[in-house]
Coordinates of all heavy atoms in Angstrom, one line a residue:
M1 N -26.6 120.4 -97.2 CA -26.9 119.0 -97.3 C -27.2 118.4 -95.9 O -26.4 118.6 -95.0 CB -25.9 118.1 -98.0 CG -26.2 116.7 -98.1 SD -25.0 115.7 -99.2 CE -24.8 116.5 -100.7
S2 N -28.4 117.8 -95.7 CA -28.6 117.3 -94.3 C -28.1 116.0 -94.1 O -27.5 115.3 -94.9 CB -30.4 117.1 -94.3 OG -30.6 115.9 -95.1
A3 N -28.2 115.6 -92.8 CA -27.6 114.4 -92.3 C -28.2 113.3 -93.0 O -27.6 112.3 -93.2 CB -27.7 114.4 -90.7
L4 N -29.6 113.3 -93.1 CA -30.3 112.3 -93.8 C -29.7 112.0 -95.2 O -29.7 110.8 -95.7 CB -31.8 112.5 -93.8 CG -32.7 111.2 -94.2 CD1 -32.5 110.1 -93.2 CD2 -34.3 111.8 -94.2
E5 N -29.6 113.0 -96.0 CA -29.0 112.9 -97.3 C -27.7 112.3 -97.4 O -27.4 111.5 -98.2 CB -29.1 114.3 -98.1 CG -30.5 114.9 -98.3 CD -30.5 116.1 -98.9 OE1 -29.5 116.8 -98.8 OE2 -31.5 116.7 -99.4
L6 N -26.8 112.7 -96.3 CA -25.5 112.1 -96.3 C -25.6 110.6 -96.0 O -24.8 109.8 -96.5 CB -24.6 112.9 -95.3 CG -24.3 114.2 -95.5 CD1 -23.6 114.9 -94.4 CD2 -23.2 114.1 -96.8
F7 N -26.6 110.3 -95.1 CA -26.6 108.9 -94.8 C -27.2 108.1 -95.9 O -26.6 107.0 -96.3 CB -27.7 108.8 -93.6 CG -28.0 107.3 -93.3 CD1 -27.0 106.6 -92.6 CD2 -29.3 106.9 -93.4 CE1 -27.3 105.3 -92.2 CE2 -29.6 105.5 -93.0 CZ -28.6 104.7 -92.4
Y8 N -28.1 108.7 -96.7 CA -28.6 107.9 -98.0 C -27.5 107.7 -99.0 O -27.3 106.9 -99.8 CB -29.8 108.6 -98.6 CG -31.1 108.4 -97.8 CD1 -32.0 109.4 -97.6 CD2 -31.4 107.0 -97.3 CE1 -33.2 109.1 -97.0 CE2 -32.5 106.9 -96.6 CZ -33.4 107.9 -96.4 OH -34.6 107.6 -95.9
R9 N -26.6 108.8 -99.1 CA -25.5 108.6 -100.0 C -24.5 107.5 -99.6 O -24.0 106.9 -100.4 CB -24.8 110.0 -100.1 CG -25.5 111.0 -101.1 CD -24.6 112.0 -101.5 NE -25.3 113.0 -102.3 CZ -24.8 114.0 -102.9 NH1 -23.5 114.2 -102.7 NH2 -25.6 114.9 -103.5
Y10 N -24.4 107.5 -98.2 CA -23.4 106.4 -97.6 C -24.0 105.0 -98.0 O -23.3 104.2 -98.4 CB -23.2 106.8 -96.2 CG -22.6 105.8 -95.5 CD1 -21.1 105.5 -95.7 CD2 -23.2 104.8 -94.5 CE1 -20.5 104.6 -94.9 CE2 -22.4 103.9 -93.9 CZ -21.0 103.7 -94.0 OH -20.4 102.8 -93.4
L11 N -25.3 105.0 -97.8 CA -25.9 103.6 -98.0 C -25.9 103.3 -99.6 O -25.6 102.1 -99.9 CB -27.4 103.7 -97.6 CG -27.6 103.6 -96.1 CD1 -29.2 103.5 -95.8 CD2 -27.1 102.2 -95.6
Q12 N -26.1 104.3 -100.4 CA -25.9 104.1 -101.8 C -24.5 103.6 -102.2 O -24.3 102.7 -103.1 CB -26.2 105.4 -102.6 CG -27.8 105.7 -102.7 CD -28.1 107.0 -103.4 OE1 -27.1 107.7 -103.6 NE2 -29.3 107.1 -103.7
A13 N -23.5 104.1 -101.6 CA -22.2 103.7 -101.8 C -21.9 102.3 -101.4 O -21.2 101.6 -102.1 CB -21.1 104.7 -101.2
I14 N -22.5 102.0 -100.3 CA -22.3 100.5 -99.8 C -23.1 99.6 -100.7 O -22.5 98.5 -101.1 CB -22.9 100.3 -98.4 CG1 -21.9 101.3 -97.3 CG2 -23.1 99.0 -98.0 CD1 -22.5 101.2 -96.0
E15 N -24.2 100.0 -101.1 CA -25.0 99.3 -102.1 C -24.1 99.0 -103.5 O -24.1 97.8 -103.9 CB -26.3 99.8 -102.6 CG -27.4 99.6 -101.6 CD -28.7 100.2 -102.0 OE1 -29.4 99.6 -102.9 OE2 -29.0 101.5 -101.7
R16 N -23.6 100.0 -103.9 CA -22.8 99.9 -105.1 C -21.6 99.0 -105.0 O -21.3 98.1 -105.7 CB -22.3 101.3 -105.5 CG -21.8 101.4 -106.9 CD -21.6 102.9 -107.3 NE -21.2 103.9 -106.2 CZ -22.0 104.7 -105.8 NH1 -23.2 104.9 -106.2 NH2 -21.5 105.6 -104.9
R17 N -20.9 99.1 -103.9 CA -19.8 98.1 -103.5 C -20.3 96.7 -103.5 O -19.6 95.8 -103.8 CB -19.1 98.4 -102.2 CG -18.1 99.7 -102.5 CD -17.3 99.8 -101.3 NE -17.9 100.0 -100.0 CZ -18.1 101.0 -99.4 NH1 -17.7 102.2 -99.8 NH2 -18.7 101.1 -98.1
L18 N -21.4 96.5 -102.8 CA -21.9 95.1 -102.6 C -22.4 94.5 -104.0 O -22.2 93.3 -104.4 CB -23.2 95.2 -101.8 CG -22.9 95.3 -100.3 CD1 -24.3 95.4 -99.6 CD2 -22.2 94.1 -99.7
R19 N -22.9 95.3 -104.9 CA -23.3 94.9 -106.2 C -21.9 94.6 -107.0 O -21.8 93.6 -107.8 CB -24.0 96.1 -107.0 CG -25.5 96.0 -106.7 CD -26.3 96.7 -107.6 NE -27.7 96.7 -107.3 CZ -28.3 97.4 -106.3 NH1 -27.6 98.5 -105.9 NH2 -29.6 97.3 -106.2
W20 N -21.0 95.3 -106.9 CA -19.6 95.1 -107.8 C -19.1 93.8 -107.2 O -18.5 93.0 -107.9 CB -18.6 96.2 -107.5 CG -19.0 97.4 -108.6 CD1 -19.5 98.5 -108.4 CD2 -18.9 97.0 -110.0 NE1 -19.6 99.2 -109.6 CE2 -19.1 98.3 -110.7 CE3 -18.5 96.1 -110.7 CZ2 -19.2 98.6 -111.9 CZ3 -18.4 96.3 -112.2 CH2 -18.8 97.5 -112.7
R21 N -19.2 93.6 -105.7 CA -18.7 92.4 -105.2 C -19.3 91.1 -105.7 O -18.8 90.1 -106.2 CB -18.7 92.4 -103.7 CG -18.1 91.2 -103.1 CD -18.4 91.1 -101.5 NE -17.8 92.3 -100.9 CZ -17.9 92.4 -99.6 NH1 -18.7 91.7 -98.9 NH2 -17.5 93.5 -99.1
A22 N -20.7 91.2 -105.9 CA -21.4 90.2 -106.3 C -21.2 90.0 -107.8 O -21.1 88.8 -108.3 CB -23.0 90.5 -106.2
V23 N -21.1 91.0 -108.6 CA -20.6 90.8 -110.0 C -19.3 90.2 -110.2 O -19.2 89.3 -111.0 CB -20.7 92.1 -110.9 CG1 -20.2 92.1 -112.1 CG2 -22.2 92.6 -110.9
A24 N -18.5 90.5 -109.4 CA -17.1 90.0 -109.5 C -17.0 88.5 -109.2 O -16.3 87.7 -109.8 CB -16.1 90.8 -108.7
G25 N -17.7 88.2 -108.0 CA -17.7 86.9 -107.7 C -18.4 86.0 -108.7 O -18.0 84.8 -109.0
G26 N -19.5 86.5 -109.1 CA -20.3 85.8 -110.3 C -19.5 85.5 -111.4 O -19.6 84.5 -112.1
A27 N -18.7 86.7 -111.8 CA -17.9 86.4 -113.0 C -16.8 85.3 -112.9 O -16.6 84.6 -113.9 CB -17.2 87.8 -113.4
G28 N -16.4 85.3 -111.7 CA -15.4 84.0 -111.5 C -16.1 82.7 -111.6 O -15.6 81.8 -112.1
V29 N -17.3 82.6 -111.0 CA -18.1 81.3 -111.1 C -18.5 81.1 -112.6 O -18.3 79.9 -113.0 CB -19.2 81.5 -110.2 CG1 -20.2 80.3 -110.5 CG2 -18.9 81.5 -108.8
V30 N -18.8 82.2 -113.4 CA -19.2 81.8 -114.7 C -18.0 81.4 -115.5 O -18.1 80.5 -116.3 CB -19.7 83.3 -115.3 CG1 -19.9 83.2 -116.8 CG2 -21.1 83.5 -114.7
A31 N -16.9 82.1 -115.3 CA -15.6 81.8 -116.0 C -15.2 80.2 -115.8 O -14.8 79.6 -116.5 CB -14.5 82.6 -115.6
G32 N -15.3 79.9 -114.4 CA -15.0 78.5 -114.1 C -15.9 77.5 -114.7 O -15.5 76.4 -115.1
A33 N -17.2 77.8 -114.6 CA -18.2 76.9 -115.1 C -18.0 76.8 -116.7 O -18.1 75.7 -117.2 CB -19.6 77.4 -114.9
L34 N -17.8 77.9 -117.4 CA -17.6 77.8 -118.9 C -16.2 77.0 -119.2 O -16.2 76.3 -120.2 CB -17.5 79.1 -119.4 CG -18.9 79.8 -119.5 CD1 -18.7 81.3 -120.1 CD2 -19.8 79.1 -120.4
L35 N -15.2 77.2 -118.4 CA -14.1 76.5 -118.6 C -14.2 75.0 -118.4 O -13.8 74.2 -119.3 CB -12.8 76.9 -117.6 CG -11.6 76.2 -117.7 CD1 -11.0 76.5 -119.0 CD2 -10.6 76.6 -116.5
V36 N -14.8 74.6 -117.4 CA -15.1 73.1 -117.1 C -16.0 72.5 -118.3 O -15.7 71.5 -118.9 CB -15.9 73.0 -115.7 CG1 -16.3 71.5 -115.6 CG2 -14.7 73.2 -114.7
A37 N -17.1 73.4 -118.6 CA -18.0 72.8 -119.6 C -17.3 72.8 -121.1 O -17.5 71.9 -121.8 CB -19.2 73.7 -119.8
T38 N -16.4 73.7 -121.3 CA -15.7 73.7 -122.6 C -14.8 72.4 -122.6 O -14.7 71.7 -123.7 CB -14.8 74.9 -122.7 OG1 -15.7 76.1 -122.8 CG2 -14.2 74.9 -124.0
V39 N -14.1 72.1 -121.6 CA -13.2 70.9 -121.6 C -14.0 69.7 -121.7 O -13.6 68.9 -122.5 CB -12.3 71.0 -120.3 CG1 -11.6 69.7 -120.1 CG2 -11.3 72.1 -120.3
V40 N -15.1 69.5 -120.9 CA -15.9 68.3 -121.1 C -16.5 68.3 -122.5 O -16.5 67.2 -123.0 CB -17.0 68.4 -120.0 CG1 -18.0 67.3 -120.2 CG2 -16.3 68.2 -118.6
L41 N -17.1 69.3 -122.9 CA -17.7 69.1 -124.3 C -16.8 69.1 -125.4 O -17.0 68.3 -126.5 CB -18.7 70.5 -124.5 CG -19.9 70.5 -123.5 CD1 -20.5 71.9 -123.6 CD2 -20.8 69.4 -123.6
A42 N -15.6 69.6 -125.3 CA -14.6 69.5 -126.4 C -14.1 68.1 -126.4 O -13.8 67.5 -127.5 CB -13.5 70.5 -126.1
T43 N -14.0 67.5 -125.2 CA -13.5 66.1 -125.1 C -14.5 65.2 -125.8 O -14.3 64.3 -126.4 CB -13.3 65.6 -123.6 OG1 -12.3 66.6 -123.0 CG2 -12.8 64.2 -123.5
W44 N -15.8 65.4 -125.5 CA -16.9 64.6 -125.9 C -16.9 64.9 -127.5 O -17.0 63.8 -128.2 CB -18.2 65.1 -125.5 CG -19.4 64.5 -125.9 CD1 -19.6 63.1 -126.1 CD2 -20.6 65.0 -126.4 NE1 -20.8 62.8 -126.7 CE2 -21.5 64.1 -126.8 CE3 -21.0 66.4 -126.4 CZ2 -22.8 64.4 -127.2 CZ3 -22.4 66.6 -126.9 CH2 -23.2 65.6 -127.3
A45 N -16.7 66.1 -128.1 CA -16.8 66.3 -129.4 C -15.5 65.6 -130.1 O -15.7 65.0 -131.3 CB -16.8 67.8 -129.7
D46 N -14.4 65.6 -129.5 CA -13.2 65.0 -130.0 C -13.4 63.4 -130.1 O -13.0 62.9 -131.2 CB -12.1 65.3 -129.2 CG -10.8 64.8 -129.7 OD1 -10.5 64.9 -131.0 OD2 -9.9 64.2 -128.9
R47 N -14.0 62.9 -129.1 CA -14.3 61.4 -129.1 C -15.2 60.9 -130.3 O -15.2 59.9 -130.7 CB -14.7 60.9 -127.8 CG -13.7 60.9 -126.7 CD -14.2 60.5 -125.3 NE -13.3 60.9 -124.3 CZ -12.5 59.8 -123.8 NH1 -13.0 58.5 -123.9 NH2 -11.8 60.1 -122.7
S48 N -16.1 62.0 -130.7 CA -17.0 61.6 -131.7 C -16.6 62.1 -133.1 O -17.4 62.2 -134.0 CB -18.4 62.1 -131.4 OG -18.3 63.5 -131.4
A49 N -15.3 62.4 -133.2 CA -14.6 62.9 -134.5 C -15.4 64.1 -135.0 O -15.5 64.4 -136.2 CB -14.8 61.9 -135.5
F50 N -15.9 65.0 -134.1 CA -16.5 66.3 -134.4 C -17.6 66.2 -135.4 O -17.7 66.8 -136.3 CB -15.4 67.3 -134.9 CG -14.4 67.7 -133.8 CD1 -13.1 67.0 -133.8 CD2 -14.7 68.6 -132.9 CE1 -12.2 67.3 -132.8 CE2 -13.7 68.9 -131.9 CZ -12.4 68.3 -131.9
A51 N -18.5 65.2 -135.1 CA -19.6 65.0 -135.9 C -20.6 66.2 -135.8 O -20.6 67.0 -134.7 CB -20.3 63.8 -135.4
E52 N -21.1 66.6 -136.8 CA -22.1 67.8 -136.8 C -23.2 67.8 -135.7 O -23.4 68.9 -135.1 CB -22.8 68.0 -138.1 CG -21.7 68.5 -139.3 CD -21.2 69.9 -139.1 OE1 -22.0 70.9 -138.6 OE2 -20.1 69.9 -139.4
E53 N -23.8 66.7 -135.6 CA -24.7 66.6 -134.6 C -24.3 66.8 -133.1 O -24.8 67.4 -132.3 CB -25.5 65.3 -134.5 CG -26.6 65.1 -133.7 CD -27.4 63.8 -133.7 OE1 -27.6 63.3 -134.9 OE2 -27.9 63.3 -132.7
V54 N -23.0 66.3 -133.0 CA -22.4 66.4 -131.5 C -22.0 67.9 -131.3 O -22.1 68.4 -130.2 CB -21.2 65.4 -131.5 CG1 -20.4 65.7 -130.3 CG2 -21.7 64.0 -131.5
L55 N -21.4 68.4 -132.4 CA -21.1 69.9 -132.2 C -22.3 70.8 -131.9 O -22.2 71.8 -131.2 CB -20.4 70.3 -133.4 CG -19.0 69.8 -133.8 CD1 -18.4 70.4 -135.1 CD2 -18.1 70.4 -132.7
F56 N -23.5 70.6 -132.6 CA -24.7 71.2 -132.3 C -25.0 71.1 -130.9 O -25.2 72.2 -130.2 CB -25.8 70.8 -133.1 CG -27.1 71.4 -132.7 CD1 -27.4 72.6 -133.0 CD2 -28.0 70.6 -132.0 CE1 -28.7 73.2 -132.7 CE2 -29.2 71.0 -131.6 CZ -29.5 72.3 -131.9
W57 N -25.0 70.0 -130.3 CA -25.3 69.7 -128.9 C -24.3 70.3 -127.9 O -24.8 70.7 -126.9 CB -25.7 68.3 -128.6 CG -26.9 67.8 -129.3 CD1 -27.0 66.9 -130.3 CD2 -28.3 68.3 -129.0 NE1 -28.5 66.8 -130.7 CE2 -29.2 67.6 -129.9 CE3 -28.8 69.1 -128.1 CZ2 -30.5 67.8 -129.7 CZ3 -30.2 69.2 -127.8 CH2 -31.0 68.5 -128.9
A58 N -23.2 70.2 -128.3 CA -22.0 70.6 -127.4 C -22.1 72.3 -127.4 O -22.0 72.8 -126.3 CB -20.6 70.4 -128.0
R59 N -22.5 72.8 -128.6 CA -22.5 74.4 -128.5 C -23.8 74.7 -127.8 O -23.8 75.7 -126.9 CB -22.7 74.9 -129.9 CG -21.5 74.9 -130.6 CD -21.7 75.4 -132.1 NE -20.5 75.1 -132.9 CZ -20.5 74.8 -134.1 NH1 -21.5 74.4 -134.7 NH2 -19.3 74.5 -134.7
L60 N -24.9 74.1 -128.0 CA -26.2 74.2 -127.2 C -25.9 74.0 -125.7 O -26.2 74.9 -125.0 CB -27.3 73.4 -127.7 CG -28.6 73.7 -127.0 CD1 -29.1 75.0 -127.3 CD2 -29.6 72.5 -127.4
G61 N -25.1 73.1 -125.3 CA -24.9 72.8 -124.0 C -24.0 73.9 -123.4 O -24.3 74.3 -122.2
L62 N -23.2 74.5 -124.2 CA -22.3 75.5 -123.6 C -23.1 76.9 -123.4 O -22.8 77.6 -122.4 CB -21.1 75.8 -124.7 CG -20.1 76.6 -124.2 CD1 -19.3 76.1 -123.0 CD2 -18.9 76.9 -125.2
F63 N -24.1 77.2 -124.3 CA -25.0 78.2 -124.2 C -25.9 78.0 -122.9 O -26.2 79.0 -122.2 CB -25.8 78.5 -125.4 CG -25.0 79.2 -126.4 CD1 -24.7 78.6 -127.7 CD2 -24.4 80.5 -126.3 CE1 -24.0 79.3 -128.6 CE2 -23.7 81.1 -127.2 CZ -23.4 80.5 -128.4
V64 N -26.3 76.8 -122.6 CA -27.1 76.5 -121.4 C -26.4 76.8 -120.2 O -27.0 77.5 -119.2 CB -27.7 75.2 -121.5 CG1 -28.3 74.7 -120.2 CG2 -28.8 75.1 -122.7
V65 N -25.1 76.2 -120.2 CA -24.3 76.5 -119.0 C -24.1 78.0 -118.9 O -24.1 78.5 -117.7 CB -22.9 75.7 -119.2 CG1 -21.9 76.1 -118.1 CG2 -23.2 74.3 -119.1
L66 N -23.8 78.7 -120.0 CA -23.5 80.2 -119.8 C -24.8 80.8 -119.2 O -24.7 81.6 -118.3 CB -23.3 80.8 -121.1 CG -23.1 82.4 -121.2 CD1 -22.1 82.9 -120.3 CD2 -22.9 82.8 -122.7
G67 N -26.0 80.5 -119.7 CA -27.2 81.1 -119.1 C -27.4 80.8 -117.8 O -27.9 81.7 -116.9
L68 N -27.2 79.5 -117.4 CA -27.5 79.1 -116.0 C -26.6 79.8 -115.0 O -26.8 80.3 -114.0 CB -27.5 77.6 -115.8 CG -28.6 76.9 -116.4 CD1 -28.4 75.4 -116.2 CD2 -29.9 77.2 -115.6
A69 N -25.2 79.9 -115.4 CA -24.3 80.3 -114.6 C -24.5 81.9 -114.4 O -24.4 82.5 -113.4 CB -22.9 80.1 -115.2
L70 N -24.9 82.7 -115.6 CA -25.2 84.1 -115.3 C -26.4 84.3 -114.4 O -26.2 85.2 -113.7 CB -25.4 84.6 -116.8 CG -24.2 85.0 -117.7 CD1 -24.6 85.4 -119.0 CD2 -23.3 86.0 -116.9
A71 N -27.3 83.5 -114.6 CA -28.6 83.6 -113.8 C -28.4 83.3 -112.3 O -28.8 84.1 -111.5 CB -29.7 82.8 -114.4
L72 N -27.6 82.3 -112.1 CA -27.5 81.8 -110.8 C -26.3 82.5 -110.0 O -26.5 82.8 -108.7 CB -27.3 80.3 -110.6 CG -28.5 79.5 -111.2 CD1 -28.1 78.1 -111.1 CD2 -29.7 79.7 -110.3
A73 N -25.2 82.7 -110.7 CA -24.1 83.3 -110.0 C -23.9 84.8 -110.0 O -23.2 85.4 -109.3 CB -22.8 82.6 -110.6
V74 N -24.6 85.5 -111.1 CA -24.6 86.9 -111.1 C -25.8 87.6 -110.9 O -25.9 88.5 -110.0 CB -24.0 87.3 -112.5 CG1 -24.0 88.8 -112.8 CG2 -22.6 86.7 -112.9
A75 N -26.9 87.2 -111.6 CA -28.2 88.0 -111.5 C -28.8 87.8 -110.1 O -29.2 88.8 -109.5 CB -29.1 87.5 -112.6
M76 N -28.8 86.6 -109.6 CA -29.4 86.4 -108.2 C -28.8 87.2 -107.2 O -29.4 87.9 -106.4 CB -29.6 84.9 -107.9 CG -30.7 84.3 -108.7 SD -31.0 82.6 -108.4 CE -31.5 82.6 -106.7
P77 N -27.4 87.1 -107.0 CA -26.7 87.9 -105.9 C -27.1 89.4 -106.1 O -27.2 90.1 -105.1 CB -25.3 87.5 -106.0 CG -25.4 86.1 -106.7 CD -26.6 86.0 -107.7
V78 N -26.9 89.8 -107.4 CA -27.0 91.3 -107.5 C -28.4 91.8 -107.2 O -28.6 92.8 -106.7 CB -26.7 91.7 -109.1 CG1 -27.1 93.1 -109.5 CG2 -25.2 91.5 -109.3
L79 N -29.4 90.9 -107.6 CA -30.8 91.4 -107.3 C -31.1 91.3 -105.7 O -32.0 91.9 -105.3 CB -31.8 90.4 -108.0 CG -31.8 90.7 -109.5 CD1 -32.7 89.5 -110.2 CD2 -32.2 92.0 -109.8
R80 N -30.4 90.5 -104.9 CA -30.5 90.4 -103.7 C -29.9 91.7 -102.9 O -30.3 91.9 -101.7 CB -29.9 89.2 -103.0 CG -30.7 87.9 -103.3 CD -30.2 86.7 -102.6 NE -29.3 86.8 -101.6 CZ -28.3 86.1 -101.5 NH1 -28.0 85.0 -102.4 NH2 -27.4 86.4 -100.5
V81 N -29.0 92.3 -103.5 CA -28.6 93.6 -102.8 C -29.6 94.7 -102.9 O -30.1 95.1 -103.8 CB -27.3 94.0 -103.6 CG1 -26.8 95.3 -102.9 CG2 -26.2 93.0 -103.6
N82 N -29.9 95.2 -101.6 CA -30.8 96.2 -101.5 C -30.4 97.2 -100.3 O -29.4 97.0 -99.8 CB -32.2 95.8 -101.3 CG -32.4 94.8 -100.1 OD1 -31.6 94.9 -99.3 ND2 -33.3 94.0 -100.1
R83 N -31.0 98.2 -100.1 CA -30.8 99.2 -99.0 C -30.7 98.5 -97.7 O -30.1 98.9 -96.9 CB -31.7 100.4 -99.1 CG -31.3 101.5 -98.2 CD -32.0 102.8 -98.5 NE -31.7 103.4 -99.8 CZ -32.3 104.3 -100.4 NH1 -33.5 104.8 -99.9 NH2 -31.9 104.8 -101.5
L84 N -31.7 97.8 -97.4 CA -31.8 97.1 -96.1 C -30.5 96.2 -95.8 O -30.0 96.3 -94.9 CB -33.0 96.2 -96.0 CG -33.2 95.5 -94.7 CD1 -33.4 96.4 -93.5 CD2 -34.4 94.5 -94.8
R85 N -30.1 95.4 -96.8 CA -29.0 94.7 -96.6 C -27.7 95.5 -96.5 O -26.8 95.2 -95.7 CB -28.8 93.9 -97.9 CG -27.8 92.8 -97.6 CD -28.0 91.7 -98.9 NE -27.0 90.6 -98.6 CZ -26.8 89.6 -99.4 NH1 -27.5 89.6 -100.6 NH2 -26.0 88.7 -99.2
A86 N -27.6 96.7 -97.3 CA -26.5 97.7 -97.1 C -26.5 98.3 -95.6 O -25.4 98.3 -95.0 CB -26.5 98.7 -98.2
A87 N -27.7 98.5 -95.2 CA -27.8 99.2 -93.8 C -27.3 98.1 -92.7 O -26.6 98.5 -91.8 CB -29.1 99.7 -93.6
R88 N -27.8 96.9 -93.0 CA -27.4 95.8 -91.9 C -25.9 95.7 -92.0 O -25.2 95.5 -91.0 CB -28.1 94.5 -92.3 CG -29.5 94.7 -91.8 CD -30.1 93.3 -92.1 NE -31.6 93.4 -91.6 CZ -32.5 92.5 -92.0 NH1 -32.2 91.6 -92.7 NH2 -33.8 92.7 -91.6
L89 N -25.3 95.7 -93.1 CA -23.8 95.5 -93.2 C -23.0 96.7 -92.6 O -22.1 96.6 -91.9 CB -23.3 95.4 -94.7 CG -21.9 95.3 -94.9 CD1 -21.4 93.9 -94.4 CD2 -21.5 95.4 -96.4
A90 N -23.5 97.9 -92.8 CA -23.0 99.1 -92.2 C -23.1 99.0 -90.6 O -22.2 99.3 -89.9 CB -23.7 100.3 -92.7
E91 N -24.3 98.5 -90.3 CA -24.4 98.4 -88.7 C -23.5 97.3 -88.1 O -22.8 97.6 -87.0 CB -25.9 98.0 -88.5 CG -26.9 99.1 -88.5 CD -28.3 98.7 -88.3 OE1 -28.4 97.4 -88.0 OE2 -29.2 99.5 -88.4
R92 N -23.2 96.3 -88.9 CA -22.3 95.1 -88.3 C -21.0 95.6 -88.4 O -20.2 95.3 -87.4 CB -22.5 93.9 -89.2 CG -23.4 93.0 -88.7 CD -23.4 91.6 -89.4 NE -24.5 91.8 -90.5 CZ -24.3 91.3 -91.8 NH1 -23.1 90.6 -92.2 NH2 -25.1 91.5 -92.7
Q93 N -20.6 96.5 -89.3 CA -19.2 96.9 -89.4 C -18.9 98.0 -88.4 O -17.7 98.1 -88.0 CB -18.9 97.4 -90.8 CG -18.7 96.3 -91.8 CD -18.3 96.7 -93.3 OE1 -18.3 97.8 -93.6 NE2 -18.0 95.8 -94.0
S94 N -19.8 98.8 -88.1 CA -19.7 99.9 -87.2 C -19.7 99.5 -85.7 O -19.2 100.1 -84.8 CB -20.7 101.0 -87.4 OG -22.0 100.6 -87.0
A95 N -20.3 98.4 -85.5 CA -20.4 97.9 -84.1 C -19.3 97.1 -83.5 O -18.4 96.9 -84.2 CB -21.6 96.8 -84.0

């Protein structure tokens, strides 16, 4: 195995760790957003005596919050991780 192949494997390992870090952080943000949205929407539904129309909009709102949180807190950071970013991180840590 050449030195270049070892270097590429090292960069792949760094990329993998960065992706997992982005997923873990995003999962925390998603959980927090869903918790807050659930409390707010459940309070709103309770005040309206759980009317069918309010429940529909509350569920829809919860799914919208889920989608936005997944897109903004998980997908975007994971997509930003690439080999160049991993190489820059490796350079910063070794210097």
Side-chain angles (χ1 to χ4, degrees):
M1 187 173 299
S2 71
L4 188 60
E5 289 172 346
L6 288 172
F7 178 67
Y8 282 140
R9 283 192 181 187
Y10 175 69
L11 283 181
Q12 286 175 346
I14 293 173
E15 278 183 83
R16 198 170 27 253
R17 284 194 304 259
L18 286 174
R19 279 195 175 89
W20 276 112
R21 182 188 299 173
V23 168
V29 171
V30 169
L34 288 177
L35 177 65
V36 169
T38 300
V39 169
V40 169
L41 294 171
T43 303
W44 177 49
D46 183 44
R47 288 178 189 245
S48 67
F50 294 99
E52 287 296 321
E53 184 176 323
V54 173
L55 287 177
F56 170 78
W57 289 111
R59 288 178 187 136
L60 183 65
L62 195 59
F63 282 117
V64 167
V65 168
L66 173 63
L68 285 173
L70 284 174
L72 296 175
V74 178
M76 287 181 62
V78 168
L79 292 175
R80 284 189 10 224
V81 174
N82 56 25
R83 183 170 293 168
L84 178 64
R85 196 166 182 188
R88 286 182 180 162
L89 179 69
E91 286 177 0
R92 266 187 272 143
Q93 288 181 349
S94 67

